[in-house]
Amino acid sequence: MVTHAKAVFINVELMEFKRVVITGMGALTPLGNTVDEYWNGLINGVSGAAPITQFDASKFRTRFACEVKNFEPTNFLDKKEARKIDRFSQFALVASDQAMADAGLNKENINPDRIGVVLGSGIGGLITFQNEVMDFAKGDGTPRFNPFFIPKMILDIAAGQVSMRHNLRGPNYAVTSACASSTNAMIDAINLLRLGKADIIVTGGSEAVISEAGVGGFNAMKAMSERNDDPAAACQQTL
Amino acid sequence: MSDIASRVKKIIVDKLGVDEAEVTTEASFTNDLGADSLDTVELIMEFEKEFNISIPDEQAETITTVGQAVSYLEEHAK
């Protein structure tokens, strides 16, 4: 077995890797819902932090967050689909639509068997998980979980949804490594392309955990700023 | 239309995102209304919740059209 491993290693070393380039980008962020808005926000030092609107945070130690703003899922998905897709996957769908359009990819000029999707997320569908478990806890112990509970919250479903939307049949999976998840996903995508496992990979990541469980959980670790009187300065060091 | 039939119809329109006009007595959840296997499980759960009953799996499997749902619920709803 050791000899075998050595042989594989030498083989990879001698291989000529394919070049990899970025051909399109998309962004849905607390600073704006396009790449341009995001970039302009970044270079102008705009803060995405603001009081939490997604749930009543009045009892929480941190009452502000960097929410994606002005996002209405039914502008992109029909009502039935939107209901079955967690917010973190909705973000992935919208951003990947933008990236694919930016790259000029469409049904006519792609081979779906050669296009993969590798997306990162730190937690996955936490809001779905929280709501389903809370519903269960309110009952008498009889399990009445929604059949879409698992396929809505499982972490690799964002990649799955993007694949189903565009019929992409190349490598498809999720990468998770906390705050580095999206970066690790992109590194995986580069390596898959270098090795010729696909011609194109839609990659990046998404997260939507601004909920009671998300904020409460991170607060319990003392991992978030509590500067509620000045959210825009939340990341500045206090002396 | 009976009260039960209109409540059933409302659930189907809401959960499957279809037009009310499509929800005819003969309409099949999967063949006519675009439901997949998980949608049908969810529909049965919604019927159970709305009518406060429990539909056993073997009975649930026989409910595949709007009409079948209405007649089952007219018979069993409390």
Side-chain angles (χ1 to χ4, degrees), chain B residues 32-57:
Chain B
D32 302 314
L33 302 176
D36 61 24
S37 60
L38 295 185
D39 287 318
T40 56
V41 175
E42 192 184 32
L43 274 182
I44 297 292
M45 285 179 60
E46 287 301 315
F47 296 150
E48 290 180 327
K49 211 190 288 176
E50 171 76 18
F51 297 99
N52 193 27
I53 57 169
S54 175
I55 306 174
D57 283 355

Side-chain angles (χ1 to χ4, degrees), chain A residues 79-80 83-84 144-148 151, chain B residues 14-16 34 38-39 41-42 45 48:
Chain A
K79 209 177 124 207
K80 180 189 163 201
R83 197 170 54 77
K84 290 186 199 173
R144 286 188 181 284
F145 289 97
N146 189 289
F148 295 102
Chain B
D14 181 46
K15 291 295 167 192
L16 300 184
L38 295 185
D39 287 318
V41 175
E42 192 184 32
M45 285 179 60
E48 290 180 327

Side-chain angles (χ1 to χ4, degrees), chain B residues 1-19:
Chain B
M1 202 193 306
S2 73
D3 166 56
I4 286 179
S6 65
R7 282 155 74 192
V8 166
K9 205 168 176 174
K10 191 169 171 292
I11 290 172
I12 294 168
V13 167
D14 181 46
K15 291 295 167 192
L16 300 184
V18 290
D19 274 349

Side-chain angles (χ1 to χ4, degrees), chain A residues 81 109 142 149 162:
Chain A
E81 288 303 312
N109 65 11
T142 310
F149 171 27
V162 171

